[in-house]
Amino acid sequence: MVKRIDHIAIAVHDIDEVARFYTGILKLDLSGVEVVTEQKAKVGFLKIGESNIELVQPASDDSPLVKFLETRGPGIHHICLEVEDIEKEVEELKKQGARMIDEMPRPGAHNTRVAFIHPKSSGGVLIELNQLPERH
Ligand code: ZN
């Protein structure tokens, strides 16, 4: 089950530089800046109610984000939907013939587990599914 939009991700060259607009003018708080090694990305979150804007920046020269920024420039990179059970969701997508970038969930930011759906299957937009860690 898809629960909500967790975040909309914007690819940027420099999180700190772009964040000035969001924190300085829109008065949002930037938090959770971290490098997600598995995705070769540095990420930071701007919380807006139940959702976030995620700023994503390449963390290394071989990050897939480098190519994205080169060919398309900064802008919306993906939309992330929170799901209740990511294993089940990925299985169902594969069964229905959706093209997956991740055949299996993998580690995401903040101890989430994530899987990306190929834009070919979702109207040209990269979709990330995530499952939040259990709250204790
Ligand atoms: Zn994301």
Side-chain angles (χ1 to χ4, degrees), residues 15-34:
I15 286 179
D16 295 331
E17 190 193 316
V18 175
R20 265 183 246 138
F21 166 79
Y22 291 96
T23 60
I25 299 169
L26 296 183
K27 308 292 182 207
L28 300 171
D29 287 320
L30 177 67
S31 67
V33 178
E34 65 171 285

Side-chain angles (χ1 to χ4, degrees), residues 7 9 54 78 80 116 128:
H7 59 266
E54 176 188 35
H78 65 267
C80 178
F116 283 87
E128 175 184 18

